[in-house]
Amino acid sequence: MKVITVPCLSDNYAYVLVDEKAGEVSVVDPVEPDKVIPVVEGTKLKLKTILTTHHHADHAGGNQGMLKAFPGLTVYGGDGSRIPGLTNQLEDGAKFQLGSLSVQAMQTPGHTTSSICYYIQDADQRVAFTGDTLFVGGCGRLFEGSPQDMYTSLNEKLAALPKDTSVYAGHEYTRANLRFALSVEPDNQALKEKARRCASVDCTMPSSIGEELATNPFMRVDQPDLQKATGATDPVQVLAAIRRMKDNF
């Protein structure tokens, strides 16, 4: 399994997922077909699938363009009424194959009510495409879901994945996220090191579940420093407070 990152719009990422064993590729959130299609064609493999993380136009807005260029694609997602071209609606925990790759759909509400993260395994290689649910060093704004929703998505579902799972998020927000994270947990040495490493690179993908557990304040809501910074002890209340602080940072 190989993941090719395709920068789109001002700060979005689409991804081309290459399954060399099966001789096919899939695309994740191909919002700008004109940028994604040359990458697909460069693999010289057959495109069969679109994986959509959520319905927002900066993620699902390229589906129809991809379908026009590649008729008959299978389009996965979590919201049949709001994702263009959807053919396969996914429920939480749904499992399916993309060629030789094993996929598990994780329903992760918070940013939207129907967001899906894709956990994909190829032997001992593991990746997660997290859309706007989990960012490197942050999480998505709560446009439709509640703090409880996002807590469950981040700290019960995604946090339970193997720590070496590579994380590919929907936007390049990392440096701003880490600046905020340092403002609420300034003594976190792992966070300081991550911020140093990310300061000098254009693309900070992938992270890993283990790194996010060590550095991402939204996945560290049980830590005393974050409880002190928010004046709360209940983990869901801590997450809600950190999200409000980040919104105004």
Side-chain angles (χ1 to χ4, degrees):
M1 173 170 54
K2 178 182 177 183
V3 178
I4 304 173
T5 302
V6 185
C8 294
L9 305 178
S10 61
D11 52 36
N12 278 70
Y13 286 126
Y15 297 101
V16 176
L17 177 63
V18 181
D19 178 2
E20 293 172 330
K21 282 183 282 189
E24 64 183 60
V25 298
S26 305
V27 292
V28 182
D29 290 351
V31 62
E32 285 194 282
D34 288 350
K35 293 182 179 177
V36 175
I37 289 170
V39 178
V40 169
E41 292 176 338
T43 68
K44 302 190 184 306
L45 301 176
K46 183 176 178 61
L47 176 63
K48 299 184 73 172
T49 306
I50 296 173
L51 302 176
T52 305
T53 61
H54 62 294
H55 72 277
H56 287 163
D58 63 328
H59 294 264
N63 285 7
Q64 295 290 19
M66 294 300 295
L67 287 164
K68 183 177 180 181
F70 300 93
L73 295 176
T74 301
V75 182
Y76 288 97
D79 195 326
S81 65
R82 298 193 291 182
I83 292 175
L86 190 79
T87 61
N88 292 57
Q89 179 153 331
L90 296 167
E91 303 299 330
D92 186 36
K95 296 180 179 180
F96 56 98
Q97 291 292 127
L98 293 178
S100 69
L101 309 180
S102 300
V103 185
Q104 179 178 342
M106 306 174 69
Q107 195 168 48
T108 50
H111 182 64
T112 72
T113 55
S114 54
S115 293
I116 296 286
C117 292
Y118 297 91
Y119 174 57
I120 304 177
Q121 298 180 79
D122 179 13
D124 61 353
Q125 186 180 4
R126 292 171 279 271
V127 304
F129 295 101
T130 59
D132 288 4
T133 299
L134 172 62
F135 295 131
V136 180
C139 74
R141 290 177 180 263
L142 303 180
F143 287 134
E144 296 179 0
S146 67
Q148 178 66 66
D149 289 333
M150 186 62 85
Y151 175 82
T152 300
S153 295
L154 295 178
N155 293 289
E156 294 180 3
K157 292 185 175 182
L158 290 169
L161 295 177
K163 290 184 179 180
D164 63 353
T165 302
S166 296
V167 172
Y168 292 90
H171 290 269
E172 184 55 68
Y173 291 162
T174 302
R175 281 174 285 278
N177 285 343
L178 296 181
R179 284 195 297 273
F180 170 75
L182 284 167
S183 77
V184 292
E185 200 178 15
D187 296 326
N188 183 330
Q189 293 302 316
L191 175 57
K192 290 180 181 178
E193 172 59 21
K194 176 121 184 175
R196 185 194 64 77
R197 285 188 284 111
C198 290
S200 58
V201 295
D202 291 330
C203 177
T204 59
M205 305 301 146
S207 183
S208 71
I209 292 295
E211 286 190 30
E212 294 309 302
L213 289 169
T215 60
N216 188 324
F218 296 97
M219 299 184 80
R220 296 175 56 77
V221 291
D222 59 342
Q223 295 298 307
D225 284 353
L226 291 168
Q227 294 176 351
K228 181 179 178 181
T230 59
T233 55
D234 176 79
V236 176
Q237 293 179 5
V238 174
L239 186 146
I242 296 172
R243 184 64 261 176
R244 289 193 298 270
M245 294 165 69
K246 177 65 170 66
D247 290 344
N248 296 302
F249 185 71

